[in-house]
Amino acid sequence: MAVPDFDVIVIGAGHAGVEAAWAAARMGRRVGICTLSAETVALMPCNPAIGGTAKGHLVREIDALGGLMGRAIDATGLQFKLLNRSRGPAVWSPRAQADKRHYGRWVREALTSAPNITWIFRRAGRVLVEAGHVSGLEFEDGGAVSCRALVVTTGTFLNGLVHIGDEQRPAGRAGEPPTHQLAESLRAFGFEMGRLKTGTPPRLDRKSIDFSRFKEDLGDDPPVPFSFSTDRIDRPQMACHIVHTTEAVHDLVRSHIDRSPLYNGQISGVGPRYCPSLEDKVMRFPEKERHQVFLEREGLDVDEIYVNGMSMSLPAAIQDAIVHAMPGLEDAVVMRHAYAVEYDFVQPTELSLSLEAKRVPGLFLAGQINGTSGYEEAAAQGLMAGINAAQRCVDATNVVLGRDQAYIGILIDDLVTRGCLEPYRMFTSRAEHRLVLRIDNADLRLTAIGRAVGMIDDARWARFETRAARLDRNRARAATTRVVVNGLTGTAAEALGRPLVSMDNVVSAGYAFETDGVREIDAATLEAECKYRGYLKRHDAQQARVESQHARRIPEEFDYEGVPGLTREVVERLSAIRPVTLGQAGRIPGVTPAALAIVASRVRKLGT
Amino acid sequence: MGASFSTADTIVAVATPHGRGGLGVVRMSGPESAAIAQRLTSRELPFEPRHATLAVVRDIDQVVVTWFAAPHSYTGEDVVEISGHGSPWLLQSIVESACAAGARLAQPGEFTLRAYLHGRLDLIQAEAVADLIDAVTPLQARVAFDQLEGTLTSAVQRIDAQLFDLAAKLEASLDFPDEGFHFITRTNASADLAAVQTELERLITDGRRGRLIREGRLVVIAGRPNVGKSSLFNALIGTNRAIVTPLAGTTRDLLTEQVDVCGVPLTLVDTAGLRESADVIEEEGVRRAEQAREVAALTLLVLDGSQPLDGDDQRLLAETGGPRVVIANKADLPSVWSGSGIAVSAVTGRGLDELRAAIVGALSGESGDTAGTEDLRDVPRVSNQRHLLQLEGAVTAVTRSLEQLNQGATEELVLAELTDAREALEALTGKRTSDDLLRHIFSTFCVGK
Ligand SMILES: Cc1cc2nc3c(=O)[nH]c(=O)nc-3n(C[C@H](O)[C@H](O)[C@H](O)COP(=O)(O)OP(=O)(O)OC[C@H]3O[C@@H](n4cnc5c(N)ncnc54)[C@H](O)[C@@H]3O)c2cc1C
Ligand SMILES: Nc1nc2c(ncn2[C@@H]2O[C@H](COP(=O)(O)OP(=O)(O)OP(=O)(O)O)[C@@H](O)[C@H]2O)c(=O)[nH]1
Ligand SMILES: [Mg+2]
């Protein structure tokens, strides 16, 4: 067979596509990235911000594996905050507002300067298959390129339909034509597909708002970076402004609630439940007199102001009335009304844990096309699809992260095991091992894995090893230094283990904590290990037994049809998903403990 | 090997107790059961669901056949019950013919296992079936029946729902920090948790008494000769099982009888009077009495209230450690000492009710709680060791999360403990189980259930 044009082709340059291309290129593959426009690379069509609870965890993990997102936001962020700082380190989560245009440009530059990435600004049309394996990509306007592996990351474009008020128009996003041919090509493989919807709040014109009337909200000083490789954030930080809703606003929402597609049934359970809309806040928490809304700038050179906390699905005229009812926004000009987009997605149960399509070897899917919502969720999948597509080209083993290893592992396991009935967003509560999966130790969990596949260069690796060695020294000293804190004597580690005792307390009591200046993260690791030690010790012992049962592998060729006692429905679910382990089988909806017991006893009998 | 998890074939077994009886029932469950019944009775027409039909099993017996069509049956599968005359031989012949016609012999618990696999029963209910079959006292049956009805399941589900609600609020505070407020205050969370803790503890207290009812206890009557041990034994069991004479040293061997005391099934043991003796038979009897006391859950130390306490009495008072009830017998006669013993007369029956209450109180109190003060006629909701263990696991986790909360720990740690508590409750109802556990549970059943 002739050498193909590319090793890996990536369709789409959203947050998933750029990570996929970057990863495959870093691993030495020749990559083509096919997208519609240079202007929309890594675009943020909604909230111009990266991170947030659980999403921030994803970004740290992407970074620990050698991905782009953490560095991109560190370079272009306007305001950084570590959320949940008043809670324990396991739920600290970084969030930053991005300068939207600069962010996209930074990412485009990163890909352009990578040695083996070629941009292909064309419209992808058809996935080509030869001898049961992906062989290339045909463009909508003719012509084709060949490849060994193909990663599709077309986001909301598949048969996209934008709703603005009552108006509906085919579009991938506002102002961009949708993708039909590629959608047909995927459908032709027989994938189970579904339709989801998502929306974005209105934008206001900066020039029509008198910001002096609002309380300023500042970010952290100093800002805590996302990337393990960023020492300091040097860009000037910007304030955003806080507005509060009033009873008048709530009344408007309540009196028009029957015109909200989210509530009147027009959008039924297919929109993101989690990104709480204004309607949700008003209806679900009637006892709250006011809700906070942030006015956020989308960039230094952009006039649009993003109204964070006011996503809604009410008609345009009511949106105007609501905006104008907010104290201080009486004269604000709405530049763009909230809109929603409806799109096709592929049920991710069509994929294996490597994100490769079970029906079409060599074809990988990542991002919103798999039913997720959010830049970070998309980027995380893109990275893993890129890594596994690169591995595929040289027949190397898949890289699959466990649920106890990374939020990325949970994300992908949930998707391919359970499928999507509504847009999937990451939450820390999805993690069984939440106290272990922290932002401070993402590198300890994952950087060696990134290194093994060639994602981590020597400089980064050296930095990691220095940090790990320093942590070990800090741990050893914490176990031996005796301190008195709040009248109690004990080791520094014991003191840190108590609620309400902070690293500062322990350091002022005489514990010599070694740091390279980025103290936050080093201290967090130690504090978490001490605070959670009691629980984790008990929990690990308890879980060990369960896990060993759950880790038991189900043979690849295992035939569920032949297993008596399983209902038709369960046989079909299991045969379609083909879980790798008993644990995964147990997470499939509809597989009861009884059904799992039947499968387990059969697997055991086969003596695998 | 316990029950198999296969439900593809048709199983058959005699469902009524072994031995002769007026009637006996053979039960079949599985896809072929109706067809097999038709073949056995040489019927052309299918049986009508839920109708008792008179038929003849060839060369064996005249029977009544009832077909319960899936899913409206005990197992959720097609079930056929064949009632015949209660001779073991006849019933066995019907089973054999059914096997010849394509059924297979059921393993212990397999009918109930199938009911569980088809979602007709939850795990607690399945366990209750076993208890119901084994029940020997009315209260035992009542406890098991309530569990079968789902009282325990719903009590546990209520607690789990409370925990879930609390967890959701704590999670929301973590998930939406932008909102700048806690979805639940520390004080409210603390109060909610304390309420759950109380409810769990109530179930556990219940459970200690429930286990007593389910499992029963060994109670030994001890005392020096002639104080009226055998008389008391007879009075408690309600028949003249033991020989009573005015002679000291009447009882030599251990006498054992089952008795229902306030719903608790007791194994009551009468023993030889304890004293130094030259008689080898009596000496052996005393040795046995001492052994019985060692394994007993409770000793009833009998003293004679109409006689001054002698050296043997004093020695026994000093020696019988562990849970015991002291009895001053012969209360119908003028008493010559007064002490802490319960005044009872084995002859007139005076004080027996107090004695019964004291026995149950002492037995429930064996784990140091106050169950004995509750109304003894209450039906405890928990009675099974496995359930009790999971409840104890849950309450430990809830207690820890309450401690964490009160010490100022933040949501994620409180939630970690709550998750453990919920897992214990899910294990209890069988929402989360391992197949080993299932195998174990169903293997304790008798065949035919
Ligand atoms: C209106 C709107 C509101 C949203 N609101 C939220 C929200 O509130 N919260 C939230 O978390 N997330 C929200 N999102 C989702 C978030 O933006 C996405 O999840 C994320 O950007 C998806 O990334 P992706 O890489 O999968 O796809 P996208 O970022 O959508 O990228 C798709 C890429 O594919 C390219 N492409 C499409 N078709 C073709 C073709 N035929 N040939 C070549 N290239 C093609 C496009 O040019 C684009 O580069 C919203 C998205 C939209 C559009
Ligand atoms: N008045 C009166 N006599 C009793 C009472 N209980 C037992 N007696 C009499 O006491 C005598 C001894 O009774 P037992 O029941 O045989 O005594 P025991 O403790 O079993 O004696 P040993 O078997 O010899 O150890 C008999 O004559 C009984 O009738 C009682 O409550 N009141
Ligand atoms: Mg006697």
Side-chain angles (χ1 to χ4, degrees):
Chain A
M1 186 176 118
V3 177
D5 301 328
F6 293 100
D7 292 320
V8 176
I9 291 178
V10 178
I11 309 178
H15 301 282
V18 297
E19 295 287 352
W22 171 258
R26 283 221 64 118
M27 290 168 66
R29 307 297 170 266
R30 294 168 304 120
V31 177
I33 180 164
C34 165
T35 192
L36 300 177
S37 154
E39 295 313 307
T40 55
V41 173
L43 182 79
M44 301 186 198
C46 191
N47 194 343
I50 295 291
T53 50
K55 290 165 173 271
H57 287 77
L58 286 172
V59 182
R60 291 285 284 187
E61 292 178 353
I62 292 167
D63 184 70
L65 285 166
L68 277 179
M69 189 170 245
R71 286 166 53 216
I73 184 63
D74 282 349
T76 61
L78 294 173
Q79 190 201 79
F80 291 78
K81 262 188 195 175
L82 191 60
L83 302 180
N84 270 333
R85 204 196 271 267
S86 65
R87 276 104 184 184
V91 290
W92 292 358
S93 237
R95 176 184 187 271
Q97 270 171 258
D99 187 317
K100 182 165 148 167
R101 283 191 196 158
H102 289 192
Y103 184 95
R105 256 178 249 151
W106 189 97
V107 171
R108 194 174 68 208
E109 271 316 299
L111 293 196
T112 304
S113 52
N116 13 347
I117 299 182
T118 308
W119 288 102
I120 307 168
F121 293 111
R122 296 180 70 175
R123 181 168 282 271
R126 224 156 52 84
V127 176
L128 302 177
V129 173
E130 243 170 59
H133 191 283
V134 156
S135 62
L137 168 67
E138 190 182 272
F139 300 105
E140 247 185 38
D141 54 6
V145 279
S146 56
C147 63
R148 296 181 206 273
L150 184 65
V151 187
V152 182
T153 69
T154 46
T156 51
F157 280 70
L158 297 187
N159 292 324
L161 185 67
V162 161
H163 301 249
I164 306 171
D166 298 340
E167 201 185 321
Q168 296 180 355
R169 163 161 13 104
R173 291 186 289 233
E176 297 179 76
T179 281
H180 294 305
Q181 204 186 89
L182 188 62
E184 280 326 296
S185 162
L186 292 176
R187 209 175 274 282
F189 289 121
F191 289 133
E192 185 187 346
M193 298 180 76
R195 211 151 165 78
L196 291 173
K197 212 171 210 179
T198 186
T200 188
R203 307 299 200 277
L204 307 181
D205 187 346
R206 187 160 64 93
K207 298 190 295 288
S208 67
I209 301 172
D210 175 8
F211 287 96
S212 66
R213 296 183 55 185
F214 305 117
K215 194 172 139 234
E216 276 201 339
D217 182 59
L218 298 170
D220 294 342
D221 185 26
V224 181
F226 276 79
S227 171
F228 286 97
S229 62
T230 307
D231 286 326
R232 252 193 344 271
I233 308 274
D234 286 329
R235 281 169 60 99
Q237 300 293 294
M238 263 177 30
C240 51
H241 295 86
I242 300 180
V243 193
H244 286 104
T245 59
T246 59
E247 269 309 314
V249 171
H250 297 186
D251 282 343
L252 274 169
V253 172
R254 275 193 286 264
S255 57
H256 294 102
I257 198 70
D258 56 325
R259 299 191 61 191
S260 159
L262 276 176
Y263 271 85
N264 68 12
Q266 192 176 319
I267 299 178
S268 55
V270 293
R273 246 190 322 157
Y274 310 118
C275 185
S277 64
L278 185 61
E279 294 96 308
D280 269 331
K281 291 180 191 175
V282 172
M283 302 310 286
R284 273 174 42 195
F285 307 106
E287 69 283 355
K288 275 216 85 188
E289 286 154 22
R290 56 181 214 172
H291 294 273
Q292 268 189 107
V293 169
F294 294 86
L295 301 180
E296 298 175 352
R297 283 184 69 173
E298 298 217 325
L300 289 175
D301 46 4
V302 193
D303 277 339
E304 289 187 0
I305 295 287
Y306 180 85
V307 193
N308 189 2
M310 284 251 285
S311 78
M312 56 181 130
S313 58
L314 292 161
I318 298 158
Q319 289 184 32
D320 287 340
I322 285 175
V323 167
H324 294 148
M326 301 277 292
L329 295 181
E330 292 83 357
D331 303 317
V333 172
V334 178
M335 289 178 82
R336 186 141 63 83
H337 282 107
Y339 77 91
V341 60
E342 207 181 346
Y343 53 93
D344 284 356
F345 76 104
V346 176
Q347 263 306 349
T349 48
E350 291 283 352
L351 309 177
S352 64
L353 287 162
S354 61
L355 293 177
E356 186 169 4
K358 284 178 269 196
R359 293 176 199 270
V360 190
L363 177 66
F364 294 78
L365 305 184
Q368 194 144 3
I369 192 174
N370 289 342
T372 60
S373 149
Y375 315 137
E376 303 79 0
E377 286 84 350
Q381 293 169 67
L383 181 76
M384 297 316 292
I387 290 175
N388 284 320
Q391 295 287 85
R392 191 76 160 102
C393 295
V394 295
D395 280 330
T397 48
N398 292 329
V399 179
V400 173
L401 303 176
R403 296 181 72 91
D404 53 351
Q405 250 178 335
Y407 276 92
I408 300 180
I410 295 170
L411 167 72
I412 294 175
D413 181 69
D414 277 349
L415 290 175
V416 309
T417 307
R418 310 182 62 93
C420 281
L421 294 176
E422 61 183 334
Y424 182 100
R425 177 220 200 274
M426 187 43 80
F427 284 104
T428 63
S429 52
R430 296 196 194 272
E432 299 85 341
H433 308 272
R434 173 158 59 187
L435 301 186
V436 179
L437 304 182
R438 306 184 306 265
I439 59 164
D440 65 82
N441 67 359
D443 57 340
L444 300 174
R445 292 183 276 123
L446 300 173
T447 298
I449 296 172
R451 174 72 174 174
V453 294
M455 291 288 298
I456 303 288
D457 62 20
D458 291 345
R460 181 77 184 264
W461 183 244
R463 191 183 166 103
F464 168 73
E465 288 192 310
T466 309
R467 124 92 163 155
R470 188 175 56 234
L471 177 66
D472 279 341
R473 288 193 298 275
N474 276 325
R475 277 179 187 142
R477 255 197 316 277
T480 52
T481 310
R482 297 192 72 78
V483 293
V484 184
V485 179
N486 301 338
L488 288 173
T489 309
T491 63
E494 284 161 359
L496 266 181
R498 298 202 293 272
L500 307 178
V501 174
S502 71
M503 182 59 89
D504 282 338
N505 299 142
V506 181
V507 167
S508 39
Y511 167 57
F513 178 67
E514 188 190 342
T515 169
D516 68 342
V518 194
R519 206 188 94 176
E520 200 85 48
I521 290 311
D522 278 2
T525 307
L526 208 57
E527 221 180 304
E529 286 174 355
C530 296
K531 287 243 157 31
Y532 300 146
R533 176 180 294 141
Y535 175 81
L536 290 177
K537 248 168 75 186
R538 269 197 318 275
H539 192 71
D540 288 352
Q542 229 173 53
Q543 288 289 304
R545 235 176 340 120
V546 184
E547 304 272 309
S548 79
Q549 246 187 21
H550 283 185
R552 188 173 204 115
R553 296 188 85 77
I554 303 174
E556 235 167 275
E557 65 289 353
F558 188 85
D559 186 8
Y560 295 96
E561 291 289 348
V563 181
L566 297 178
T567 64
R568 193 70 244 141
E569 190 198 335
V570 165
V571 168
E572 276 164 18
R573 285 315 277 165
L574 287 166
S575 309
I577 299 199
R578 309 216 57 78
V580 178
T581 59
L582 287 178
Q584 195 192 352
R587 288 191 292 276
I588 297 172
V591 175
T592 58
L596 187 63
I598 294 176
V599 174
S601 81
R602 183 72 163 214
V603 166
R604 197 155 307 147
K605 219 172 282 165
L606 291 175
T608 44
Chain B
M1 205 19 234
S4 115
F5 286 119
S6 155
T7 61
D9 44 6
T10 298
I11 52 175
V12 62
V14 180
T16 40
H18 193 71
R20 286 146 162 280
L23 277 179
V25 176
V26 170
R27 175 145 76 174
M28 265 193 291
S29 176
E32 288 296 305
S33 51
I36 292 173
Q38 238 175 294
R39 243 170 282 153
L40 282 185
T41 53
S42 321
R43 263 176 72 99
E44 312 267 296
L45 289 173
F47 290 100
E48 200 176 328
R50 290 172 173 266
H51 273 253
T53 309
L54 193 65
V56 173
V57 177
R58 229 174 316 138
D59 305 333
I60 301 180
D61 194 5
Q62 194 175 47
V63 295
V64 173
V65 177
T66 316
W67 173 40
F68 302 90
H72 305 289
S73 70
Y74 176 68
T75 58
E77 302 175 335
D78 277 345
V79 168
V80 171
E81 287 181 4
I82 303 174
S83 306
H85 295 106
S87 130
W89 176 84
L90 278 179
L91 296 175
Q92 207 44 50
S93 307
I94 295 176
V95 168
E96 276 162 24
S97 317
C99 289
R104 128 175 112 65
L105 266 184
Q107 291 174 326
E110 201 165 2
F111 288 96
T112 307
L113 174 62
R114 288 192 173 191
Y116 170 73
L117 291 176
H118 288 114
R120 302 288 293 171
L121 297 173
D122 68 18
L123 202 52
I124 292 178
Q125 291 171 322
E127 288 166 311
V129 169
D131 285 356
L132 199 54
I133 297 163
D134 290 341
V136 292
T137 72
L139 193 56
Q140 274 182 326
R142 188 60 213 269
V143 170
F145 185 74
D146 279 5
Q147 287 173 3
L148 188 58
E149 292 277 275
T151 45
L152 177 57
T153 305
S154 55
V156 170
Q157 278 168 351
R158 246 191 335 268
I159 295 177
D160 190 48
Q162 274 168 282
L163 286 179
F164 179 75
D165 185 55
L166 178 60
K169 287 179 186 151
L170 293 170
E171 289 289 358
S173 301
L174 291 180
D175 283 333
F176 303 114
D178 279 352
E179 287 295 301
F181 71 105
H182 292 261
F183 285 72
I184 180 163
T185 63
R186 210 169 264 278
T187 327
N188 288 345
S190 192
D192 285 3
L193 270 178
V196 167
Q197 190 188 31
T198 309
E199 179 57 24
L200 280 170
E201 272 163 0
R202 201 171 291 149
L203 278 178
I204 288 169
T205 307
D206 238 29
R208 299 216 172 104
R209 206 158 54 83
R211 267 192 73 191
L212 209 62
I213 290 168
R214 180 169 182 265
E215 293 163 16
R217 287 291 184 275
L218 189 69
V219 174
V220 167
I221 304 177
R224 69 176 169 77
N226 235 8
V227 290
K229 298 183 296 298
S230 300
S231 304
L232 203 59
F233 178 80
N234 288 343
L236 285 170
I237 63 175
T239 58
N240 284 325
R241 169 86 169 76
I243 300 171
V244 171
T245 74
L247 301 175
T250 305
T251 308
R252 303 293 181 87
D253 221 341
L254 300 180
L255 283 178
T256 304
E257 204 58 49
Q258 302 292 328
V259 58
D260 172 352
V261 173
C262 303
V264 179
L266 298 185
T267 303
L268 200 60
V269 186
D270 182 24
T271 63
L274 297 161
R275 65 168 176 186
E276 294 294 325
S277 169
D279 182 342
V280 273
I281 304 177
E282 195 173 345
E283 201 183 327
E284 174 64 17
V286 170
R287 211 180 55 76
R288 290 189 181 193
E290 276 164 358
Q291 273 180 348
R293 246 165 53 208
E294 274 164 32
V295 298
L298 183 71
T299 302
L300 304 183
L301 177 56
V302 185
L303 306 170
D304 184 341
S306 67
Q307 304 274 323
L309 295 182
D310 72 3
D312 282 329
D313 290 323
Q314 299 292 0
R315 194 168 52 80
L316 279 164
L317 275 168
E319 273 178 14
T320 48
R324 72 171 180 196
V325 172
V326 179
I327 296 158
N329 190 32
K330 307 194 185 177
D332 51 304
L333 301 176
S335 76
V336 304
W337 57 272
S338 61
S340 52
I342 299 175
V344 170
S345 168
V347 171
T348 66
R350 180 185 143 195
L352 280 180
D353 281 342
E354 276 143 276
L355 175 60
R356 290 194 184 95
I359 290 172
V360 175
L363 286 172
S364 337
E366 65 188 9
S367 327
D369 58 57
T370 56
T373 61
E374 277 180 34
D375 182 353
L376 293 168
R377 294 288 151 193
D378 269 3
V379 182
R381 291 163 292 177
V382 184
S383 60
N384 174 311
Q385 164 96 54
R386 188 184 75 79
H387 300 172
L388 204 49
L389 280 177
Q390 295 295 353
L391 287 171
E392 280 165 358
V395 84
T396 312
V398 165
T399 306
R400 263 200 305 261
S401 73
L402 194 54
E403 279 165 17
Q404 297 279 8
L405 195 69
N406 294 340
Q407 287 168 19
T410 50
E411 287 92 341
E412 79 282 7
L413 203 48
V414 177
L415 278 163
E417 304 285 6
L418 280 190
T419 306
D420 284 359
R422 295 196 57 210
E423 273 174 16
L425 295 181
E426 282 175 7
L428 169 50
T429 54
K431 237 169 135 178
R432 194 186 289 250
T433 71
S434 73
D435 58 321
D436 295 339
L437 175 71
L438 291 180
R439 210 179 279 285
H440 173 75
I441 288 172
F442 289 101
S443 65
T444 61
F445 278 67
C446 54
V447 181
K449 263 294 157 184

